[in-house]
Amino acid sequence: MRSVIQPRHEVDDIAYVNGIGYSVIPSWFGATARNLKMDLLLPKYWNNKPEKRPVIVWICGGSFKEMDRSIWMPALVPLAQKSYAIASIEYRTSNETSFPNPLIDVKTAIRYLKAHAERFGLDRDRICVMGESAGAVFASLAGTTAGYAEFESSEYAEWDSSVKAVVAFYGKYDFALKDSRPMDPKYVPEWTFQAFLGSAYPDGGKASSIHYLSDATPPFLLFHGDRDELVACEQSEVMHDAMISRGLDCTLYVVEGAGHGEAAFYQPEIMEIVDKFLRRVL
């Protein structure tokens, strides 16, 4: 039997560019050094394409103690096929360091992408930072702390780390908020937060993006499950209400029946919502 298929729409042919070093950091108790790396989803033969693509900087979660920059890349391919460049970045966890160093890593990665925009065919003026769980914490902080020197490194200092949009999945935005459904210590023991925050930031205020809201805060798109067993949905509700009360652009979607980090957040319908949001704000 012979059949003919008519494509319903065009999709981009995607290349996976793995393991690009973007920053050199101290390692093994300061005795040596290693690269922080990022993975990119770009159009195939990207180095021969003239158009510049908007960029999604993706930040993986992991309770601040683990992360894998590659783990969510398959879920992000649909966005890459809608003409976005995806940069999934590595950052230091609480096994190596404490706050604000992971945020400094994120901002260094953003500046690296701006510095190398021509090389990879990126539009440095259209960058969104997007993350899940702990990655949502850093995404929201990257979106709200532009211009704070304490959160910047000296690498690629000729570029700023500001972004034009934030998309955050089931994040924690106010560490002082006593959630009605506290984190399960089986997954996130108290020492994890202490290791993440460090002695210089004991109350979590400096790590709470809600405290940095200003007229310069870019548009936010928030997602949270109403059955999240690790981070209560009220974290996103409080962030949303705080932004709206200041006249800022923020949209919150509550996913009914969804727990923390479930596949429901990466279904095609939600990727369509993300795409529409980014086309509006970028």
Side-chain angles (χ1 to χ4, degrees), residues 4-39:
V4 176
I5 296 175
Q6 293 292 336
R8 289 185 296 175
H9 57 274
E10 290 186 7
V11 294
D12 288 334
D13 208 5
I14 301 302
Y16 183 30
V17 185
N18 181 43
I20 298 172
Y22 74 85
S23 179
V24 179
I25 58 166
S27 184
W28 207 81
F29 309 102
T32 183
R34 71 178 182 90
N35 279 334
L36 287 173
K37 296 181 180 181
M38 66 171 66
D39 296 345

Side-chain angles (χ1 to χ4, degrees), residues 191-214:
W191 67 262
T192 299
F193 278 129
Q194 296 304 321
F196 164 63
L197 294 173
S199 59
Y201 302 91
D203 62 352
K206 286 281 189 175
S208 298
S209 55
I210 198 169
H211 295 311
Y212 299 100
L213 295 178
S214 71

Side-chain angles (χ1 to χ4, degrees), residues 106-126:
V106 170
K107 287 171 165 280
T108 301
I110 293 169
R111 293 197 308 277
Y112 173 92
L113 290 166
K114 290 185 177 183
H116 295 83
E118 281 79 14
R119 180 178 184 183
F120 296 115
L122 310 177
D123 188 340
R124 64 171 62 94
D125 295 320
R126 292 190 292 164

Side-chain angles (χ1 to χ4, degrees), residues 21 79 89 102 104 135 206 219 222 256 265:
L79 286 174
I89 65 172
I104 290 173
K206 286 281 189 175
L222 304 175
E256 292 185 348
F265 291 98

Side-chain angles (χ1 to χ4, degrees), residues 190-254:
E190 182 61 30
W191 67 262
T192 299
F193 278 129
Q194 296 304 321
F196 164 63
L197 294 173
S199 59
Y201 302 91
D203 62 352
K206 286 281 189 175
S208 298
S209 55
I210 198 169
H211 295 311
Y212 299 100
L213 295 178
S214 71
D215 292 343
T217 298
F220 269 56
L221 175 62
L222 304 175
F223 294 94
H224 219 119
D226 63 358
R227 294 192 179 181
D228 195 316
E229 72 283 6
L230 291 183
V231 180
C233 187
E234 62 202 284
Q235 283 283 341
S236 290
E237 293 169 345
V238 167
M239 184 65 163
H240 169 265
D241 293 348
M243 290 190 66
I244 294 300
S245 69
R246 295 184 65 114
L248 298 171
D249 186 340
C250 183
T251 303
L252 167 62
Y253 285 88
V254 176

Side-chain angles (χ1 to χ4, degrees), residues 58 60-61 68-76 132 170 261-262 266:
W58 173 257
C60 171
D68 185 330
R69 69 179 189 273
S70 303
I71 194 68
W72 288 107
M73 289 301 249
L76 299 172
E132 57 96 25
Y170 40 87
E262 292 186 356
Y266 305 96

Side-chain angles (χ1 to χ4, degrees), residues 150-173:
E150 65 185 292
F151 301 140
E152 305 283 357
S153 71
S154 60
E155 295 177 274
Y156 320 108
E158 65 272 25
W159 301 100
D160 69 84
S161 62
S162 63
V163 298
K164 291 295 178 64
V166 175
V167 179
F169 294 83
Y170 40 87
K172 195 174 181 73
Y173 313 108

